[in-house]
Amino acid sequence: MIATATAPSRPRYVQIEESLHALLETGGYRPGDKLPPEPELAQQLGVSRATLREALRSFEQQGIINRKQGVGTFVNLRPPYIESGLESLESIEMLLASRQILPTFLQRTVCTEAALPKAAQRLSIDEGEPLTVVTSTVTVAGSPVAYLLEVTPEGFVEAAAIQSAATSLLHLLLDNRESYDIAYAVAHIAPVHGTEAICGALGVGGQTPLFFVEQTVYSAAHQPRFYSRNYYVPNFFDFHIIRKREI
Amino acid sequence: MIATATAPSRPRYVQIEESLHALLETGGYRPGDKLPPEPELAQQLGVSRATLREALRSFEQQGIINRKQGVGTFVNLRPPYIESGLESLESIEMLLASRQILPTFLQRTVCTEAALPKAAQRLSIDEGEPLTVVTSTVTVAGSPVAYLLEVTPEGFVEAAAIQSAATSLLHLLLDNRESYDIAYAVAHIAPVHGTEAICGALGVGGQTPLFFVEQTVYSAAHQPRFYSRNYYVPNFFDFHIIRKREI
DNA sequence: GACAAATATTTGTCAGACAACTGGATTATA
DNA sequence: TATAATCCAGTTGTCTGACAAATATTTGTC
């Protein structure tokens, strides 16, 4: 039925979630539609009702479905823009790819530096440890749209892979799920004026407010693996966030 | 045991989630701690194991706990800053209150205007319908830190309540959960230069980049209820977001 | 001490049953 | 007839009890 995939010990209710997800996506269910009754759905997925309900609970938590006692389970309307806001960790390549845009990386430089105190703290390593620093200017149709400065401990990513890649370092990490166990990032955002060098690279005047994102990227075990300081040209990007009420 | 609270028809597994949340917060559980075995915990909460497991699944989905077959259930390390990032919908009062700061609202004006096309579209109402517009300057210890422009259809909030409140309109909505069913917002963020009026109100020069947040606030049924255009002084705020990898 | 086997602990899954709730159909009543 | 009360089928919510599977601990053996 479902490919056993990489981890054979993954609990069934997680696998069922994936089956359910596929069912909702490709099974022709649209917002507002009613799902089959739980006993039927459980049989259809080859699982007990209790296990199915754990998966459904997770979906309900995410706001994908809506259960009502005595009535049924319904596919929710999705909030606008639910996907690909800032709350989802993506590389700039992924962001642009979803709009069928292919970026070019100019002036891509890769160098090794000793970690300064701030960088060392951020990556939980010792001062002076070697870091790999990648800087690049991202252009779309000839116009520069972003300036990236990306930092990771030397050796975390194979040097040859970094050199040969024509992508952002973050994309390299996210693209190889198995090798790098990237789970989330903490991003700080601010409006700034760029330095002369950055404004020059982006071809904007010194008075143009830039969108500055500084983020540290963590593994699932909360180990910092990477950080970046990126400058975006605001007119080209439209950043948004879904803000959910808590409690 | 647990107060029956407002809605008696709320499913038990949701109530259990709240009990669990309280248990984790006040029950002295720290990250890494192991929870009691499920049968014991179920008895402690006065609920069957199946129901408890649905609540636990929801917590696992949120990354709060970690279950491992044959071992136990553990409280997760929390990512830094997990709370009160931009991804959580809060009023500026709530944001500052968590840091023991009490803001003052100066030059608070309340007026009624006819909806222009853009505003009408945003709030899904007809052009020309009356809107209540609240503008205010937020100061902390005498220094202006934000300028708010908040808009809602007239009548959605009682006029007297708006007039008498010395808070942001959003705070009024979030503070009265029962009256206004606010669930989430879609926020767009950008770095901008303020207009003369705004820079004047905030006491900054025209070249200072401001943090601009334009958000539409929705009910649980995805009805737009409110929108705001806010300008923040960047040096006073440190906005951050948790960005999670999807899939 | 090192290794292997048995045991205990804990989460994962199942089956079946009944309760609670909803919405519509049916029936009783004015 | 119109309206209200009742019943009924359908669906999610909850419970009980059991066993399977994974892991950690203890015990036995050399």
Side-chain angles (χ1 to χ4, degrees), chain A residues 11-13 46-49 51 69-71:
Chain A
R12 197 122 177 224
Y13 57 77
V47 81
S48 83
R49 212 185 132 211
T51 301
Q69 182 172 359
V71 185

Side-chain angles (χ1 to χ4, degrees), chain B:
Chain B
M1 204 67 63
I2 302 116
T4 339
T6 46
S9 65
R10 223 166 12 140
R12 198 121 179 226
Y13 57 78
V14 176
Q15 297 175 250
I16 292 301
E17 279 173 46
E18 288 167 20
S19 305
L20 259 179
H21 203 85
L23 188 67
L24 293 186
E25 287 298 322
T26 68
Y29 283 103
R30 311 195 134 275
D33 282 2
K34 184 176 169 181
L35 260 54
E38 290 180 2
E40 186 181 322
L41 196 54
Q43 192 186 356
Q44 196 174 318
L45 295 168
V47 80
S48 83
R49 211 185 133 213
T51 301
L52 170 66
R53 277 184 65 82
E54 271 195 62
L56 287 177
R57 177 67 197 106
S58 165
F59 271 52
E60 191 184 23
Q61 161 65 33
Q62 294 173 66
I64 297 174
I65 59 167
N66 206 296
R67 299 192 278 179
K68 203 166 178 192
Q69 183 173 358
V71 186
T73 302
F74 299 86
V75 180
N76 261 343
L77 270 61
R78 297 206 193 164
Y81 304 108
I82 188 71
E83 36 211 357
S84 88
L86 265 182
E87 64 281 335
S88 124
L89 178 58
E90 292 182 316
S91 65
I92 192 168
E93 287 90 341
M94 296 171 177
L95 182 67
L96 295 174
S98 63
R99 287 152 186 80
Q100 274 83 42
I101 298 173
L102 191 66
T104 309
F105 287 77
L106 293 184
Q107 297 161 356
R108 192 167 177 281
T109 69
V110 182
C111 62
T112 300
E113 290 180 11
L116 295 175
K118 250 188 175 174
Q121 193 195 354
R122 220 171 255 152
L123 293 172
S124 288
I125 60 175
D126 289 333
E127 233 177 289
E129 292 274 311
L131 299 176
T132 301
V133 181
V134 179
T135 64
S136 44
T137 303
V138 184
T139 67
V140 169
S143 306
V145 297
Y147 176 86
L148 316 180
L149 187 153
E150 305 180 286
V151 181
T152 194
E154 192 179 51
F156 180 57
V157 186
E158 210 190 335
I162 298 181
Q163 285 288 354
S164 65
T167 67
S168 69
L169 188 45
L170 178 58
H171 191 69
L172 208 62
L173 296 184
L174 291 177
D175 212 25
N176 290 281
R177 169 152 223 145
E178 293 72 29
S179 315
Y180 316 107
D181 182 29
I182 298 302
Y184 69 95
V186 179
H188 291 253
I189 59 188
V192 297
H193 289 145
T195 62
E196 261 186 54
I198 290 168
C199 287
L202 292 178
V204 298
Q207 297 310 328
T208 308
L210 296 175
F211 196 85
F212 175 60
V213 178
E214 183 173 41
Q215 67 182 357
T216 305
V217 175
Y218 294 84
S219 72
H222 309 294
Q223 296 294 320
R225 298 297 193 197
F226 165 95
Y227 80 83
S228 63
R229 298 167 59 86
N230 298 346
Y231 298 80
Y232 299 93
V233 177
N235 283 341
F236 186 77
F237 294 95
D238 177 22
F239 291 112
H240 61 259
I241 314 171
I242 309 292
R243 309 180 65 186
K244 288 184 191 153
R245 140 173 254 163
E246 296 181 350
I247 309 175

Side-chain angles (χ1 to χ4, degrees), chain A residues 6 9-10 39 41 49 53 59 81 95 100 129 131 144 152 172 188 197-198 209 213 224 240 246:
Chain A
T6 46
S9 66
R10 223 164 14 136
L41 197 54
R49 212 185 132 211
R53 278 184 63 84
F59 271 52
Y81 303 107
L95 183 66
Q100 273 81 44
E129 292 274 312
L131 299 176
T152 193
L172 209 61
H188 291 254
I198 289 168
V213 178
H240 60 261
E246 295 182 351

